[in-house]
Amino acid sequence: MAKQARAIQTRRTILEAAGAVFDEFGYESATIAEILSRAGVTKGALYFHFASKEELARGVLDAAITTEGVIPQESKLQEWVDVGMVLAHRLPQEPLLSAPIRLSADRRARELFGTSWAGWIDYLAEMLTVAKEQGELLPHVDPRQISMLFVSAWTGVEIVATAAVSDGDALEDRIAMLYDCFLPSIAVPGVLGRLDTAPDRGGRIWAAHKAQARAAADGDGQVVRG
Amino acid sequence: MAKQARAIQTRRTILEAAGAVFDEFGYESATIAEILSRAGVTKGALYFHFASKEELARGVLDAAITTEGVIPQESKLQEWVDVGMVLAHRLPQEPLLSAPIRLSADRRARELFGTSWAGWIDYLAEMLTVAKEQGELLPHVDPRQISMLFVSAWTGVEIVATAAVSDGDALEDRIAMLYDCFLPSIAVPGVLGRLDTAPDRGGRIWAAHKAQARAAADGDGQVVRG
């Protein structure tokens, strides 16, 4: 069991190093040597988990769709907002989250691996469908179309923000503004007024999630790894 | 004069070939040999205009900001919309317009060359400021912020659309939907209802521009090159 836990931890360490290297160099210029050096693991350990650079890139893409930290809300539309807010909070600190965007924006890399956008769109469309069933959306709203547009717009904001075309706004500020642009076209007025789209929303939800995880761990007497 | 016109044409041919090659392969993997082969010019001709792959990439980025085809409108907000609509119409046919997005999304390439986003944001912010002075925008709208968000979102929609995460919608359809999401948060109601955001708006404006250019050429007895 300890051995298995160590293997999972090693795999994660390698993926995080690969994410950082793909994020910085792009797929073509990334080298296994650089990934090894950042992960601080042996060649044998790396090849035990990933047979090639291709497999590393696939591993990074598979890790891309994560809703860790999103806490269920009575308003499904608020939860839909929280997904993008938490991601905007986490992404600048986690290359494993930004690397998939780099890989997907690279035409050659995505011919090899596809992208994680379709998965995100499916996930958000499903959530927005529930919001619509709960009466939170304007009648003309197509949950799938809006989710496709929002995933696209979110991606563009991230790409332009990291390219430092900036008046000093952090990613969280820009994503909050993006929601403020989209939501009046989506939400019924009564729901719109109650949505929390403050730039620090992602950080607050993420902190609450971490506190819950710690409390659960203390209750079980076990250590939970984020 | 004929010699100079030929040189301008050759430079354009080389830039278009470079745009196509950067668009397809990305900056790192693009080769001068491939650009030469597509342009159908001699090595001497290419090096006369561009001393290196770096200079070619800069030339492609410099050609990126074009508002050719946008026709002045009484409503500045409509003109602001038309910029993105005409670009959505032209881009799928013109690698010289899509290549800058590929180059800018590539972190390594943009460290070398910067991006054209700042220029687009400046241009659109200025136009939206005039729209605001004309009373077309809601009072809380910050023309610069909205233009930054819209350029970002437009870019993301283009990237995700070309990655073929698609329910069959063309770029023009998606960009039209994007305007429909943004505009209710920007425009005063009286203006909003009169804006034309139909997916074929860009094509119609582009055709009208071409007709005007032809008419002007006939009137002058000269040939205008688009």
Side-chain angles (χ1 to χ4, degrees):
Chain A
M1 188 55 195
K3 202 169 164 185
Q4 199 191 336
R6 211 161 47 233
I8 290 171
Q9 184 53 49
T10 302
R11 189 175 188 280
R12 181 81 193 173
T13 303
I14 295 165
L15 272 183
E16 282 176 358
V21 173
F22 287 133
D23 198 33
E24 192 175 329
F25 295 91
Y27 180 72
E28 291 290 336
S29 307
T31 62
I32 297 266
E34 182 67 27
I35 294 168
L36 275 176
S37 131
R38 299 219 189 173
V41 300
T42 64
K43 214 173 202 173
L46 187 144
Y47 283 108
F48 174 75
H49 290 283
F50 302 97
S52 62
K53 189 164 88 166
E54 286 78 359
E55 280 197 13
L56 278 163
R58 281 206 189 88
V60 167
L61 278 174
D62 289 344
I65 300 184
T66 170
T67 54
E68 196 200 335
V70 176
I71 296 170
Q73 304 286 330
E74 207 178 309
S75 159
K76 266 288 162 191
L77 188 53
Q78 180 69 62
E79 208 178 312
W80 187 84
V81 168
D82 289 348
V83 173
M85 289 281 194
V86 168
L87 206 59
H89 175 73
R90 294 177 58 193
L91 188 138
Q93 280 87 46
E94 302 183 37
L96 202 42
L97 296 179
S98 48
I101 299 181
R102 289 291 98 60
L103 289 173
S104 300
D106 175 337
R107 192 170 286 204
R108 302 293 277 188
R110 76 176 174 237
E111 276 167 15
L112 291 171
F113 313 115
T115 78
S116 48
W117 288 315
W120 274 114
I121 294 168
D122 287 346
Y123 173 76
L124 288 173
E126 213 166 289
M127 192 177 262
L128 211 52
T129 301
V130 178
K132 190 163 188 184
E133 284 161 5
Q134 291 183 185
E136 301 185 63
L137 307 190
L138 295 167
H140 68 271
V141 170
D142 177 334
R144 195 169 176 80
Q145 224 169 53
I146 291 289
S147 296
M148 178 277 286
L149 279 180
F150 195 82
V151 167
S152 305
W154 197 105
T155 301
V157 169
E158 196 277 333
I159 289 174
V160 174
T162 47
V165 178
S166 110
D167 299 321
D169 294 321
L171 180 60
E172 287 176 284
D173 296 308
R174 295 182 186 214
I175 294 296
M177 288 183 228
L178 186 66
Y179 279 111
D180 287 338
C181 277
F182 263 70
L183 290 170
S185 305
I186 303 175
V188 297
V191 170
L192 183 62
R194 283 201 305 273
L195 291 172
D196 180 358
T197 61
D200 68 345
R201 170 83 189 169
R204 276 184 281 123
I205 293 282
W206 183 240
H209 160 76
K210 285 291 181 195
Q212 279 181 9
R214 269 193 306 274
D218 290 348
D220 290 357
Q222 282 190 341
V223 177
V224 170
R225 287 173 198 275
Chain B
M1 189 56 194
K3 200 169 166 187
Q4 198 192 337
R6 213 161 47 235
I8 290 171
Q9 185 55 48
T10 302
R11 189 175 187 281
R12 180 81 194 174
T13 303
I14 295 166
L15 272 184
E16 282 175 358
V21 172
F22 287 133
D23 199 33
E24 192 174 329
F25 295 90
Y27 180 72
E28 291 289 337
S29 308
T31 63
I32 297 267
E34 182 67 27
I35 294 169
L36 276 176
S37 132
R38 299 218 189 174
V41 302
T42 64
K43 213 173 203 172
L46 187 143
Y47 282 108
F48 173 76
H49 289 283
F50 302 97
S52 61
K53 190 164 87 164
E54 286 79 358
E55 279 198 13
L56 279 163
R58 279 205 189 87
V60 167
L61 278 174
D62 288 344
I65 300 184
T66 170
T67 53
E68 196 199 336
V70 176
I71 296 170
Q73 304 287 328
E74 205 178 311
S75 160
K76 266 289 161 188
L77 186 54
Q78 179 69 60
E79 208 178 312
W80 188 83
V81 168
D82 289 349
V83 173
M85 289 282 195
V86 168
L87 205 61
H89 174 73
R90 293 176 58 192
L91 187 138
Q93 281 88 45
E94 302 183 37
L96 202 42
L97 296 179
S98 47
I101 300 182
R102 289 292 96 60
L103 289 174
S104 301
D106 175 337
R107 192 170 285 204
R108 302 292 277 187
R110 77 176 174 237
E111 276 167 15
L112 290 171
F113 313 116
T115 79
S116 48
W117 288 315
W120 274 113
I121 294 168
D122 287 345
Y123 173 75
L124 287 173
E126 212 166 290
M127 193 178 262
L128 212 51
T129 302
V130 177
K132 190 162 188 184
E133 285 160 5
Q134 291 183 185
E136 301 185 63
L137 307 191
L138 295 167
H140 68 272
V141 170
D142 176 334
R144 190 162 182 86
Q145 221 170 54
I146 290 290
S147 296
M148 178 277 286
L149 279 180
F150 195 82
V151 167
S152 305
W154 197 106
T155 301
V157 168
E158 196 277 333
I159 289 174
V160 174
T162 47
V165 178
S166 111
D167 299 320
D169 295 321
L171 180 60
E172 287 175 283
D173 297 308
R174 295 181 186 214
I175 293 296
M177 288 182 228
L178 186 65
Y179 280 111
D180 288 338
C181 277
F182 264 71
L183 290 170
S185 306
I186 304 176
V188 296
V191 170
L192 183 62
R194 282 201 306 272
L195 292 171
D196 181 358
T197 60
D200 68 344
R201 170 82 188 171
R204 276 183 281 123
I205 293 282
W206 183 241
H209 160 76
K210 286 289 181 195
Q212 279 182 7
R214 270 194 306 273
D218 290 349
D220 290 356
Q222 283 190 338
V223 177
V224 171
R225 288 173 197 274

